[in-house]
Amino acid sequence: MDKLLIQGGSPLHGEVSISGAKNAALPILCASLLSAEPLHVTNLPHLNDVSTMLRLIGQMGVEVTMDGSDGLILNSHDLNNPAAPYDMVKTMRASILVLGPLLARCGEAKVSLPGGCAIGARPVDQHIKGLQAMGAEIRVENGYVIAQASRLKGARIVTDMVTVTGTENLMMAAVLAEGETIIENAAREPEVLDLANCLTSMGAHISGAGTDSIKIRGVERLHGASHAVMPDRIETGTYLCAAAATRGAVRLTNTSADYLDSVVQKLREAGCDVLAEPDGIVLKAPQRLKAVNVRTEPYPAFPTDMQAQFMAINCVAEGSAVIRETIFENRFMHAVELIRLGADIKIDANNALVTGVQHLNGATVMATDLRASASLVIAGLVAQGETLIERIYHLDRGYERIEEKLTRLGASVRRVR
């Protein structure tokens, strides 16, 4: 199993390009199920989760053709197997995103429940309730969601909680439903807006995406289209944090600060100079960061997917800060590993008190989830000596060629077995 070996102590300097967003790419790949005409998708990141989703829709009958280094043509004209088996779904919770489009296009779907998640409960009940409100008959048997509907009907859906994948699933189902659907308490994340833009290019009628009330007027069918996946704002934020922690200066290209207001604000509070450019972001770090308090909330507030990275930079910042996690109940597992590197962290329920130390020391640590992996990479870049990160298959789910990009910025990072 691959591991990442980091020799810490080198400030990051230089320029690197940001990949397409994983969390936008996955629902957009599922959107190909909605039309019998080809969907051309570009700026796709080369990630394990993307490969898993392509295998999943491929076994449903979607023909996948490469188009350049980061593009695919998806043709679901011969869609013939509206089912998602457990052995594929268990490796990626986002597989539930096939439920809405399969039901809307085929009138039926059989999708395995995703199962557990290391960082906490991610129930799919909001997906099911929304589809039932649109007229679907749904039962859960032997770990599978089995859904049927001759044609979904528009409805007003008020979700009990803000759910990104729930909003995306219901939005994809609604584009082919009869009449108008309104999703209240909808997720406002940029990735939801990117999916809406893709669906609109395919002929859907959607308004309000990016707000908490999305209105969809269903159509008989969607047509083919081309869509470029938005830049990955979490990858962007991760490299900004890595540069900040190592007292570096970097330019990130093929990205935007537009969706990172809360992250940029916190980096500036920490003492960084951050400049937004038309197609990128420039960051210059101070000699020592100031500790900053963080509270995670749904977009546009501070993202839970950046919490671990900010814990890492607070570990070597001046002063103490409180990090409060409000989205997932078990997302401080990286704290134990950071403590192995010499961090001063005290956990109390969903609060972490982080007191900065002068330096961290290299050690062997274990990644527990995707963003926890990123925090350990940042800590390893700062630590004195060698840090060996085990179970980096988590990293490969969300960061494209991370060791190559960090090496380009001057870090000493290599993949070992």
Side-chain angles (χ1 to χ4, degrees):
M1 189 175 293
D2 285 1
K3 306 173 185 179
L4 212 59
L5 184 64
I6 303 174
Q7 180 70 46
S10 300
L12 299 188
H13 287 284
E15 181 175 298
V16 73
S17 178
I18 297 299
S19 302
K22 172 182 84 86
N23 289 339
L26 297 178
I28 286 169
L29 293 178
C30 295
S32 68
L33 299 169
L34 288 163
S35 174
E37 298 181 19
L39 176 64
H40 182 206
V41 185
T42 59
N43 201 35
L44 275 169
H46 296 272
L47 300 170
N48 286 351
D49 275 10
V50 171
S51 299
T52 299
M53 186 63 80
L54 289 172
R55 288 197 301 273
L56 179 60
I57 63 175
Q59 62 90 35
M60 296 174 183
V62 178
E63 180 182 312
V64 180
T65 306
M66 295 289 296
D67 181 58
S69 62
D70 67 352
L72 293 174
I73 298 173
L74 307 168
N75 191 333
S76 66
H77 181 270
D78 295 323
L79 190 66
N80 56 19
N81 181 31
Y86 173 72
D87 62 345
M88 301 192 74
V89 172
K90 69 180 180 181
T91 64
M92 184 182 65
R93 293 190 58 86
S95 303
I96 194 66
L97 285 166
V98 302
L99 177 61
L102 284 178
L103 186 57
R105 168 94 181 275
C106 304
E108 61 178 334
K110 182 180 179 181
V111 180
S112 172
L113 288 168
C117 175
I119 60 175
R122 297 188 184 187
V124 299
D125 60 319
Q126 300 304 305
H127 307 235
I128 293 173
K129 289 178 182 178
L131 293 171
Q132 286 175 328
M134 298 169 69
E137 294 182 7
I138 298 179
R139 65 186 191 276
V140 178
E141 289 183 358
N142 303 318
Y144 279 82
V145 178
I146 302 171
Q148 291 181 318
S150 55
R151 187 182 181 189
L152 296 170
K153 298 185 183 302
R156 183 172 180 267
I157 301 167
V158 182
T159 61
D160 296 337
M161 57 187 288
V162 177
T163 162
V164 175
T165 54
T167 299
E168 292 167 339
N169 230 341
L170 297 175
M171 189 163 61
M172 286 190 281
V175 296
L176 293 181
E178 181 182 352
E180 183 178 86
T181 298
I182 299 175
I183 305 172
E184 303 283 8
N185 199 29
R188 301 164 61 185
E189 271 72 4
E191 294 80 8
V192 174
L193 178 58
D194 202 35
L195 172 62
N197 290 338
C198 176
L199 294 170
T200 299
S201 70
M202 297 170 69
H205 296 288
I206 302 172
S207 61
T211 76
D212 60 3
S213 181
I214 302 176
K215 184 180 294 186
I216 304 112
R217 179 163 54 85
V219 297
E220 287 285 342
R221 64 183 58 84
L222 297 180
H223 53 68
S226 294
H227 182 80
V229 175
M230 67 174 283
D232 195 315
R233 63 191 172 100
I234 305 302
E235 184 191 24
T236 301
T238 299
Y239 282 105
L240 290 175
C241 284
T246 60
R247 307 175 185 177
V250 298
R251 170 179 278 111
L252 306 181
T253 61
N254 189 38
T255 188
S256 171
D258 290 348
Y259 305 130
L260 281 169
D261 286 345
S262 60
V263 172
V264 168
Q265 177 185 334
K266 289 297 179 182
L267 287 168
R268 286 174 174 156
E269 283 182 31
C272 298
D273 290 329
V274 185
L275 174 65
E277 295 184 336
D279 186 42
I281 306 175
V282 177
L283 178 141
K284 183 177 181 181
Q287 276 304 297
R288 192 173 188 197
L289 300 168
K290 299 174 184 176
V292 291
N293 296 326
V294 166
R295 177 187 173 93
T296 65
E297 296 281 2
Y299 188 86
F302 192 89
T304 182
D305 279 353
M306 285 300 304
Q307 175 258 106
Q309 297 89 317
F310 265 77
M311 184 179 286
I313 69 174
N314 275 337
C315 287
V316 292
E318 181 181 357
S320 298
V322 174
I323 296 179
R324 179 164 175 76
E325 174 61 53
T326 73
I327 308 297
F328 294 116
E329 69 274 15
N330 194 27
R331 206 168 197 178
F332 282 154
M333 290 185 291
H334 47 280
V336 177
E337 302 301 311
L338 291 171
I339 291 169
R340 285 179 53 79
L341 299 172
D344 183 352
I345 305 171
K346 295 177 175 62
I347 304 294
D348 180 15
N350 286 339
N351 296 292
L353 174 64
V354 186
T355 301
V357 297
Q358 286 295 328
H359 61 83
L360 300 176
N361 294 302
T364 298
V365 291
M366 183 178 68
T368 53
D369 63 71
L370 172 54
R371 306 309 172 185
S373 305
S375 76
L376 298 179
V377 170
I378 293 170
L381 292 171
V382 176
Q384 296 179 356
E386 285 188 346
T387 297
L388 183 67
I389 305 175
E390 298 182 338
R391 293 174 62 179
I392 63 165
Y393 60 83
H394 290 293
L395 271 176
D396 295 332
R397 290 184 47 236
Y399 293 94
E400 182 179 33
R401 302 191 310 272
I402 189 168
E403 68 271 30
E404 294 178 26
K405 292 187 179 184
L406 288 172
T407 299
R408 202 173 304 153
L409 294 174
S412 176
V413 181
R414 61 190 176 94
R415 191 174 289 245
V416 298
R417 288 190 177 274

